[in-house]
């Protein structure tokens, strides 16, 4: 019998820090990160809510757990049902509400869900429970400048682009950043909830300056197991600038809800909305 709650992998990525991979829907694997301090632990994102994060985290640490969602998309927030002390930037409250409401989830399951399990009975029962659960809105992160885990402070930085309330987390002690979908090697900024390309370029400029000032040495994202660095962000910025300076750059990208452009440049990919001049 298929057990969807066992579809995960845990790995130590550096001292007191773990990646938790949830093998999600339609091949969309999502990496979450667990940062353990002397007194508390912090989970970056909580995935699709398929795996039992409470139990998985409990095997690593018994310290009180704080969960910070980097943005409101369902692959990052749906574990909240099983967790307490969760946070999100309030700018993404609406994105969270839309991504966790039953009609949208039902559509998502019908269109995308775990294709290899689509016709299996256990999956149907699992999906039915998943779409009809209540997903409580996390608390607002807005007025909390950092989380002190005990000899380890975790700061956050607003990085509007992928969604307007996207944030990155910065681990001061180990000079590491977690920027999730907000600044990966393939960024989606074509969504209704995304900013314009111009605004995203401003985000990247200020985020790069922030990380340079902090002397960050490593970055981790949500859908790619590799360790990244600041140079990758500079390449992404150069790709976005190229798109802005060359209207119509890249191929047309269409899905049922959007028309956008997909541009591959400087070893990165950006899907963006064309700007009207
Ligand atoms: Zn996202
Ligand atoms: Zn994502």
């Amino acid at each position: 019998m298929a057990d969807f709650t066992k579809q995960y992998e845990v790995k130590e990525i550096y001292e007191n820090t773990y990646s938790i991979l949830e093998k999600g829907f339609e091949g969309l694997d999502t990496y979450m990160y667990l940062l353990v301090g002397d007194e508390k632990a912090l989970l970056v994102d909580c995935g699709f809510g398929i795996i039992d994060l409470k139990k998985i985290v409990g095997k690593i640490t018994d310290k009180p757990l704080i969960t910070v969602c980097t943005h409101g998309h369902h692959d990052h927030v749906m574990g909240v049902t099983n967790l307490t002390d969760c946070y999100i930037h309030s700018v993404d409250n609406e994105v969270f509400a839309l991504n966790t409401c039953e009609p949208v989830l039902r559509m998502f399951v019908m269109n995308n869900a775990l294709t290899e399990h689509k016709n299996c009975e256990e999956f149907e029962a699992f999906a039915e429970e998943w779409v009809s659960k209540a997903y409580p809105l996390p608390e607002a992160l807005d007025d909390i400048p950092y989380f002190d885990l005990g000899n380890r402070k975790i700061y956050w930085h607003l990085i509007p682009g992928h969604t307007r309330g996207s944030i990155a987390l910065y681990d001061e002690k180990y000079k590491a950043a977690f920027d999730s979908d907000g600044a990966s090697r393939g960024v989606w900024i074509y969504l209704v909830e995304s900013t314009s390309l111009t605004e995203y370029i401003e985000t990247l400029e200020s985020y790069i300056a922030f990380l340079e000032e902090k002397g960050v040495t490593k970055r981790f994202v949500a859908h790619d197991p590799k360790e990244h660095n600041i140079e990758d962000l500079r390449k992404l910025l150069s790709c976005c600038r190229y798109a802005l300076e060359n209207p119509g750059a890249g191929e047309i990208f269409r899905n049922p809800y959007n028309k956008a452009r997909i541009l591959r440049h400087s070893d990165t990919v950006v899907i963006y909305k064309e700007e009207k001049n």
Side-chain angles (χ1 to χ4, degrees):
M1 186 167 153
D3 186 350
F4 307 102
T5 62
K6 293 219 169 94
Q7 301 190 150
Y8 71 91
E9 276 169 32
V10 177
K11 222 183 186 176
E12 186 169 12
I13 52 168
Y14 60 91
E15 194 181 13
N16 296 321
T17 309
Y18 303 82
S19 67
I20 302 172
L21 162 64
E22 181 175 51
K23 295 174 183 173
F25 291 106
E26 188 75 353
L28 187 61
D29 288 352
T30 305
Y31 290 85
M32 292 157 267
Y33 298 93
L34 179 68
L35 286 49
V36 184
D38 288 349
E39 287 150 30
K40 291 178 191 170
L42 185 147
L43 186 62
V44 181
D45 284 333
C46 52
F48 275 112
I50 303 172
I51 58 175
D52 190 343
L53 276 171
K54 219 172 166 176
K55 209 161 136 191
I56 296 163
V57 169
K59 285 183 190 165
I60 303 169
T61 177
D62 57 1
K63 288 171 183 153
L65 182 69
I66 298 159
T67 299
V68 180
C69 300
T70 56
H71 62 295
H73 285 155
H74 45 219
D75 50 323
H76 301 261
V77 302
M78 296 192 66
V80 292
T81 36
N82 207 12
L83 300 165
T84 50
D85 216 6
C86 302
Y87 298 86
I88 194 167
H89 198 287
S90 68
V91 169
D92 255 24
N93 283 358
E94 270 180 46
V95 178
F96 176 94
L98 189 70
N99 271 258
T100 53
C101 75
E102 190 172 336
V104 169
L105 291 177
R106 235 170 242 293
M107 209 163 68
F108 180 72
V109 167
M110 272 180 356
N111 294 339
N112 302 286
L114 285 164
T115 38
E116 73 261 41
H117 301 300
K118 216 166 191 170
N119 299 314
C120 114
E121 242 174 71
E122 294 101 325
F123 178 69
E124 273 174 33
F126 169 83
E128 189 51 39
E129 197 197 326
W130 188 77
V131 298
S132 45
K133 260 186 211 168
Y135 293 92
L137 177 69
E139 288 175 53
L141 180 68
D142 313 23
D143 296 326
I144 303 168
Y146 61 85
F147 294 93
D148 192 347
L149 308 182
N151 193 26
R152 189 175 188 180
K153 279 185 185 159
I154 311 299
Y155 293 80
W156 61 270
H157 191 87
L158 193 62
I159 49 167
H162 178 60
T163 68
R164 290 184 165 79
S166 285
I167 60 135
L169 287 146
Y170 170 66
D171 178 359
E172 186 186 45
K173 186 173 176 181
Y174 296 97
K175 308 267 179 219
F178 298 86
D179 32 40
S180 187
D181 291 357
S184 58
R185 206 168 255 178
V187 176
W188 295 9
I189 47 162
Y190 69 93
L191 306 164
V192 178
E193 60 269 35
S194 303
T195 65
S196 67
L197 189 59
T198 303
E199 284 170 277
Y200 186 54
I201 288 172
E202 283 165 18
T203 289
L204 285 176
E205 286 167 346
S206 92
Y207 186 45
I208 291 170
F210 170 78
L211 295 181
E212 277 172 345
E213 190 205 308
K214 299 289 183 192
V216 79
T217 55
K218 44 190 174 285
R219 296 172 40 243
F220 298 90
V221 297
H223 302 295
D224 176 352
K226 283 190 238 84
E227 183 181 311
H228 299 261
N229 53 35
I230 298 192
E231 190 47 35
D232 296 326
L233 279 182
R234 292 192 193 103
K235 286 180 181 170
L236 178 63
L237 175 59
S238 139
C239 178
C240 292
R241 280 185 181 145
Y242 183 89
L244 193 68
E245 285 157 13
N246 296 276
E251 292 153 39
I252 292 197
F253 172 90
R254 254 184 238 275
N255 69 18
Y257 315 103
N258 311 83
K259 185 181 159 212
R261 289 256 172 198
I262 177 163
L263 175 67
R264 291 175 180 83
H265 186 271
S266 304
D267 206 19
T268 53
V269 183
V270 64
I271 310 180
Y272 68 99
K273 296 180 260 200
E274 278 189 83
E275 302 202 359
K276 295 171 193 84
N277 295 314

